[in-house]
Amino acid sequence: MIRDNGPCFLFAPVKMMKEAKGTLDLDVCAPLNKSALLHEASAESVAAGNAVTVLTYLHGVKEAQMVIDEIQEEGFDIDLIELRSLKPLDMDSIRKSLERTNKVAILDESTKSGGIGATVSARISEECFDLLDAPVKRLCMDDAPVPYASTMEVAVVKRGSDLVQGVFDLATGQY
């Protein structure tokens, strides 16, 4: 819930509204300026260099959560961070995770040019470059319009399967 006396816009995708379940505690306000660590990579995978920080938001969170077990079966693990705000961007949480994993993948539904992943990638490159052991991996759409037909959209928008491959590529040095 947003508690503000001024005007406010909250954008939420329709496909997420259809899947919303559960109740909402109106007395609790989640800080929108802080990211949420939804899954923390195991100490063993971090020590072995097989952990990757994954940054995503909205529908990407669901996609990432669905493939955590598959990633772990491959011998890797992730720090899954849900970005709840882009301005301000919670660089402290991102930096804390990168200090552990030294690798980052951004799962993003927007296009490669001018998309959210581009902005987040630029901030990481500018502010956390010394923590990176590999280039930032952006899993985003090509610079093309999103098709209206949902069957065609599946071919364009990055999904959990793309994340599994991205984590594998980063953890094995195949960038």
Side-chain angles (χ1 to χ4, degrees), residues 22-37:
T23 60
L24 180 63
D25 186 355
L26 297 178
D27 294 326
V28 176
C29 286
L32 294 178
N33 63 331
K34 289 290 179 190
S35 299
L37 179 62

Side-chain angles (χ1 to χ4, degrees), residues 5-174:
N5 292 331
C8 177
F9 288 101
L10 176 64
F11 296 98
V14 173
K15 63 182 166 184
M16 286 187 64
M17 289 181 196
K18 292 177 183 177
E19 297 171 359
K21 303 279 188 277
T23 60
L24 180 63
D25 186 355
L26 297 178
D27 294 326
V28 176
C29 286
L32 294 178
N33 63 331
K34 289 290 179 190
S35 299
L37 179 62
L38 303 179
H39 176 81
E40 188 171 7
S42 68
E44 295 81 25
S45 63
V46 171
N50 291 332
V52 174
T53 298
V54 174
L55 306 175
T56 191
Y57 58 95
L58 298 176
H59 191 68
V61 172
K62 177 187 163 200
E63 291 288 331
Q65 288 175 323
M66 289 178 8
V67 296
I68 289 174
D69 289 339
E70 186 177 345
I71 290 169
Q72 290 174 329
E73 287 170 8
E74 296 289 331
F76 308 108
D77 208 347
I78 62 172
D79 274 1
L80 177 58
I81 297 177
E82 178 185 12
L83 302 175
R84 294 185 173 171
S85 170
L86 296 174
K87 189 164 184 159
L89 182 61
D90 184 9
M91 289 302 295
D92 292 336
S93 295
I94 295 170
R95 186 177 296 104
K96 183 177 177 183
S97 178
L98 281 175
E99 287 171 351
R100 297 179 64 237
T101 67
N102 303 109
K103 295 178 261 321
V104 63
I106 302 169
L107 181 59
D108 181 13
E109 286 191 30
S110 61
T111 56
K112 192 163 193 139
S113 296
I116 291 168
T119 301
V120 174
S121 175
R123 292 278 310 269
I124 291 169
S125 296
E126 291 169 359
E127 300 176 33
C128 302
F129 183 77
D130 57 327
L131 298 174
L132 296 173
D133 287 345
V136 175
K137 182 81 166 179
R138 290 173 41 210
L139 304 166
C140 53
M141 290 189 335
D142 293 330
D143 291 328
V146 179
Y148 179 75
S150 58
T151 53
M152 293 175 67
E153 180 185 349
V154 171
V156 178
V157 177
K158 298 301 181 190
R159 304 285 179 193
S161 58
D162 299 301
L163 178 60
V164 173
Q165 184 63 49
V167 168
F168 176 83
D169 291 348
L170 281 170
T172 59
Q174 299 178 27

